[in-house]
Structures are given as C-alpha cells and as structure tokens.
Amino acid sequence: MTTQKTLTLFFFLLLSFNTFTSSVTIEAEPAFGNPIDRNLLGQDKEPTLSHFRFYWQDIVGGPNATSIPIVQPIPKFNTSSSFGLVRVIDNALTIGPNLTSKVIGRAQGFYVLVSETELDLLMVESFVFYEGRYNGSTIDIVGRNVALNKVREIPVVGGSGVFRFAKGYAELRTLKFDAASGDTLVQYDVFVYHH
C-alpha cells in the first residue's frame, strides 16, 4: 500500500470515528449541589438576633439522674480531670435557677471530658424547646467548655424549626456545683441569629 493510500485510509477512519462519537449522546450526571432561591426556604428577610436565658440542670446521681455515664474515665487518667468520661444527657432547661422552676425545654446530647490535666469538656447539645412559638424548635451547640473558667463560650452551629440556619454563641456560667453528688447548675445565655 502506498503512503498516499495509507493517509487516505487514516483520514477516512478518523472522520468516521468523529462522526460516530459526535452522534453518541452521553448523559451528564446530576449536579451534587445547585444554588437555589433563598426565598424558597424562608430566607427572604433579615435575620433576628434573640437572647435566651435559661438554666441547665445536670443531675448525675440518684433515681432522677438526667446525666448518665456511658464510658467511664480511662483508669490511667481517673484523676480530677476524669479524662475519657462520656455522659449522655437529657437535662431540664428551666426558666429560673431552682430545680422546681418551670421547665421550658431539654438539653439533649452528650459531653466528653477531653483533657488529661484540666476539667475541659466537649459539649454536643440540642436545646429542645417546649414553650410558645419555639415549641418543637431546637438550637444546636458544639464546642469546648473549660468548666473552671468563670464564663465560657460555645458556638451555636445550627437549629431547626424557628431556628433553621441559626448561628451565634452561648455563654455559660456555673452557678452551683455539688461536690458530693456531682450535680451542676449552669446559667446559659444564648445569643442567636435566626429567620
């Protein structure tokens, strides 16, 4: 075969292949994420900044405990820091500091003692509200709690219901700690933007 015939055959095959491939329809995969109109999710107005004050009642002992250990401290570190201790909570959130005050919701989640040397906790909580327009809505927080500091801050990372797309922070102040029982009373001041 001559060079000219070989080149002609090559270009013929190349054109045939291009014609074949251009007629094949390949469907694109659906997009993983797409922009949407914020009005569809009720995001058409400016967010509201709200302040909530309530009291977190952590009852760790007795028949009415609301904070249950699910992982005990690591024996090597079973000292004042209780490193490795994990507790699941369903703590009452009350309108006043007394345990008998009106319950406005529950703090549900867990906390982990995360320092080998200090009383530092990782808090993961959903505040589930029972009152008025907030009934059924939640504010979610996740963050470090250095328990011996007078005031601590934990970020608000989200929410549901009235608090959909929430952001902000919570300030914590320990008002009472019972060394014998381990029960703790903490004042929460939550500052949250929501729509």
Side-chain angles (χ1 to χ4, degrees), residues 54-55 57 92-105 130-132:
F54 48 80
Y55 298 86
Q57 308 279 352
L93 300 176
T94 58
I95 196 77
N98 295 323
L99 192 54
T100 57
S101 296
K102 181 179 182 179
V103 175
I104 59 160
Y130 299 156
E131 286 298 309

Side-chain angles (χ1 to χ4, degrees), residues 14-93:
L14 185 61
L15 285 172
S16 298
F17 180 75
N18 282 341
T19 304
F20 172 74
T21 57
S22 64
S23 66
V24 175
T25 304
I26 300 173
E27 291 187 32
E29 291 189 26
F32 179 70
N34 293 305
I36 61 170
D37 181 356
R38 62 185 300 148
N39 295 335
L40 295 173
L41 297 174
Q43 303 298 304
D44 53 337
K45 56 186 175 196
E46 288 296 313
T48 301
L49 175 60
S50 297
H51 170 231
F52 298 89
R53 174 173 287 168
F54 48 80
Y55 298 86
W56 186 81
Q57 308 279 352
D58 193 42
I59 310 301
V60 300
N64 298 318
T66 60
S67 176
I68 308 298
I70 58 168
V71 176
Q72 293 299 328
I74 299 168
K76 174 181 173 185
F77 299 104
N78 195 3
T79 61
S80 60
S81 75
S82 296
F83 178 63
L85 175 68
V86 180
R87 287 185 168 276
V88 172
I89 62 169
D90 185 21
N91 292 345
L93 300 176

Side-chain angles (χ1 to χ4, degrees), residues 54-58 152 171-176 184-188:
F54 48 80
Y55 298 86
W56 186 81
Q57 308 279 352
D58 193 42
R152 291 90 67 197
E171 286 183 352
L172 288 64
R173 290 172 177 79
T174 301
L175 301 182
K176 185 172 88 174
T184 307
L185 171 65
V186 178
Q187 175 183 305
Y188 274 73

